[in-house]
Amino acid sequence: MDRLWWELPLRLGHGPDATWRGEFATAVGEIAANIVRHACPAAGDLCDARLAILVNRVAIVARFTDRGAPCVAPIPAGPPIRSAEAPWEWPEAGLGLGLARAALDDLGYERTAAGENRWTLLKRLESADR
Amino acid sequence: MIEHRNDAITTARPHGRLDYLSASDFKEELLGAVEAGWPRLVVDLSAVEFVDSSGLGALIGGLKAARAAGGDRRLAAVPEQARVVLSLTTLDRMFRSYASVEEAVAGN
């Protein structure tokens, strides 16, 4: 990913700021961790997890594919914690997908007929200049 | 990682990644400080390069335990990616953050 941040200004004339990069890296890290922990815990090479990063002037997309177990958790619509008034109610687990969703403009999951998991993480570059 | 500074405040300085691999050990250290009778803790994040939701869960668990024991958790020297995670979850309003450990220890 460091190479991506270095190359982007060369390709597009500008690169996203540190906050944008931190948000994107956070989302990519969460989905990668989910794949390692839940989809592919013991599969090793059989899991064949891959990441592709797609770039154009409008957005950056990270696409994960793997052949591990399907994801059964729903994708939250927003961040995992909203209320600041009740700290004893805050969850300590299950925060990952909500955190990833909050860091992106779109997060999609698909289980293909061929038995592949496909995660699509999209973040628009127009939000990069803040 | 945990340093007992004085009778009132203890500091913790984790380093590297606070993620699903290191989070449970980190949380144990935070809870251990509370159980040892040191509920007021400053967590120096200056050496933390990445925080994921598991690391965040450990920080939350530490904060809950500290508050239940009448203490608190403060964060110091929060780097950009950790700041992003706290901001996205709105927890930046719940964890008091300071620019340095000294300011966090002094802030009352």
Side-chain angles (χ1 to χ4, degrees), chain A residues 66-116:
Chain A
D66 72 80
R67 293 192 161 278
C71 175
V72 297
I75 298 181
I81 296 169
R82 295 177 203 272
S83 167
E85 286 87 7
W88 51 88
E89 291 173 11
W90 297 339
E92 294 174 40
L95 302 167
L97 286 180
L99 177 59
R101 180 62 189 87
L104 301 165
D105 290 300
D106 197 26
L107 175 63
Y109 169 76
E110 181 194 357
R111 177 78 175 178
T112 70
E116 253 187 7

Side-chain angles (χ1 to χ4, degrees), chain B residues 1-6 8-14 26 30 33 38-46 59 62-63 66 71-78 95-108:
Chain B
M1 187 192 29
I2 303 265
E3 180 192 315
H4 189 52
R5 283 200 165 214
N6 53 44
I9 297 208
T10 309
T11 57
R13 189 169 190 265
F26 177 56
L30 296 180
W38 309 332
R40 297 178 63 199
L41 190 75
V42 171
V43 183
D44 175 359
L45 292 177
S46 59
L59 283 170
L63 179 66
D72 205 351
R73 288 272 180 274
R74 297 174 188 169
L75 305 179
V78 183
F95 284 98
R96 273 184 295 176
S97 295
Y98 298 80
S100 69
V101 171
E102 289 63 37
E103 287 171 62
V105 170
N108 270 309

Side-chain angles (χ1 to χ4, degrees), chain B residues 23-99:
Chain B
S24 56
D25 285 348
F26 177 56
K27 182 177 164 182
E28 269 185 40
E29 296 248 20
L30 296 180
L31 296 184
V34 175
E35 282 164 30
W38 309 332
R40 297 178 63 199
L41 190 75
V42 171
V43 183
D44 175 359
L45 292 177
S46 59
V48 170
E49 60 196 39
F50 188 82
V51 179
D52 76 358
S53 57
S54 300
L56 185 64
L59 283 170
I60 291 170
L63 179 66
K64 282 182 185 175
R67 289 200 174 168
D72 205 351
R73 288 272 180 274
R74 297 174 188 169
L75 305 179
V78 183
E80 179 64 31
Q81 192 272 337
R83 190 199 63 76
V84 159
V85 169
L86 291 167
S87 172
L88 288 173
T89 53
T90 71
L91 286 174
D92 50 350
R93 294 183 227 151
M94 271 297 105
F95 284 98
R96 273 184 295 176
S97 295
Y98 298 80

Side-chain angles (χ1 to χ4, degrees), chain A residues 24-102:
Chain A
F24 194 73
T26 295
V28 169
E30 289 300 330
I31 301 303
N34 270 11
I35 291 170
V36 169
R37 296 172 75 191
H38 302 300
C40 303
D45 289 343
L46 296 175
C47 189
D48 194 22
R50 300 181 185 202
L51 168 63
I53 306 262
L54 311 161
V55 178
N56 64 25
R57 291 191 172 276
V58 177
I60 299 185
V61 170
R63 181 163 291 144
F64 284 96
T65 54
D66 72 80
R67 293 192 161 278
C71 175
V72 297
I75 298 181
I81 296 169
R82 295 177 203 272
S83 167
E85 286 87 7
W88 51 88
E89 291 173 11
W90 297 339
E92 294 174 40
L95 302 167
L97 286 180
L99 177 59
R101 180 62 189 87

